[in-house]
Amino acid sequence: MMKKSKVVLRAYLLGMVFLLLAWQLAASLVQLPIIPEPWLVFERLGEIFADKIAIHAAYSLWRIMAGIMLAVAVGYPLGILMGYFAKVDRYLAPLVYLTYPVPKIALLPILMLLAGIGEMSKIIMIFLIVVFQIVVALRDGIRAIPAETYYPLYSLGARFRQVFRYILVPATLPNFITAIRVAMATAVSVLFFTETFGTQYGMGYFIMDAWLRVNYLEMYTGIVILSLIGLLLFGLLDLMEGRLCRWQMK
């Protein structure tokens, strides 16, 4: 396990080095303020992180985590019920099919009218992006479980609680984590857009404010922090998958 962690860490570091080299090459070729050199950006980041960026990063991270936790609280039991009980799926599947394809960003004006322009509308937007991924992934994951997998527990008189604990949870964990991972990138992108409305905090607000002030160094520091937030979230998901889904890790 330790050896694999070192391999993963080395891969992350190599990826970061490659991106920094590509960034430096682009800055050297363009020679314009719109693409500053990486060392200038990181120098500026060190100067303003504690005083200016930390609060924006904290707000963005809180909104993402709150939206994901709300999506898990609603989507996980809903996906389990739809996958295991055919009658529940029969009634709820049409609702999911009708609402899932709707671009969630198109609902932002409605959310702002209903929930205001503050925190709640942004958290609900993240929730809407993630919850459908969870529901569909869990439902399809349960449907893929062979019927004979249930027979030993059924023969012992197991109830749904035992089936849920010993079959449904282990079988759907990979699908569950993958669903969150797939939705994460979209959630971060949409959060950037929503943070340009009705707030003074968040990485989206910070980046757009720096852009309007033609402060490209600070704009790039915001982009770097937003990327690091994504890296942190994906890293946590990989760690969770490595701990909880060891049987499928190679």
Side-chain angles (χ1 to χ4, degrees), residues 29-134:
L29 292 175
V30 175
Q31 292 288 321
L32 290 174
I34 187 61
I35 305 182
E37 295 185 354
W39 70 270
L40 293 174
V41 174
F42 284 101
E43 182 181 42
R44 184 59 178 162
L45 177 59
E47 294 172 354
I48 68 173
F49 179 78
D51 295 332
K52 296 182 68 174
I53 296 185
I55 184 66
H56 295 282
Y59 267 87
S60 292
L61 189 58
W62 146 249
R63 289 162 182 157
I64 293 172
M65 296 303 297
I68 290 175
M69 288 189 292
L70 182 61
V72 171
V74 174
Y76 193 89
L78 197 59
I80 293 291
L81 292 174
M82 289 178 64
Y84 189 74
F85 297 103
K87 184 176 293 187
V88 175
D89 182 66
R90 188 180 308 119
Y91 289 107
L92 293 183
L95 180 62
V96 172
Y97 294 155
L98 286 171
T99 53
Y100 185 22
V102 176
K104 305 305 177 290
I105 196 66
L107 301 176
L108 183 59
I110 300 174
L111 290 179
M112 286 184 172
L113 290 173
L114 295 176
I117 60 176
E119 295 297 301
M120 188 55 65
S121 60
K122 296 169 179 58
I123 293 173
I124 293 176
M125 180 60 65
I126 302 297
F127 161 79
L128 290 175
I129 293 170
V130 180
V131 69
F132 288 101
Q133 296 273 6
I134 293 175

Side-chain angles (χ1 to χ4, degrees), residues 202-245:
M203 293 313 303
Y205 170 83
F206 178 85
I207 292 170
M208 293 303 296
D209 179 66
W211 175 66
L212 291 172
R213 291 185 288 107
V214 199
N215 192 331
Y216 295 126
L217 278 180
E218 291 193 4
M219 183 183 76
Y220 273 88
T221 61
I223 295 172
V224 168
I225 291 297
L226 198 61
S227 299
L228 292 177
I229 289 176
L231 179 64
L232 172 65
L233 295 173
F234 280 110
L236 290 175
L237 286 174
D238 287 345
L239 181 62
M240 183 187 303
E241 187 176 34
R243 292 291 181 87
L244 299 179
C245 307

Side-chain angles (χ1 to χ4, degrees), residues 1-11 250:
M1 187 69 179
M2 185 64 67
K3 183 178 180 181
K4 183 174 181 180
S5 299
K6 291 182 179 179
V7 172
V8 172
L9 180 60
R10 191 181 302 119
K250 297 181 181 179

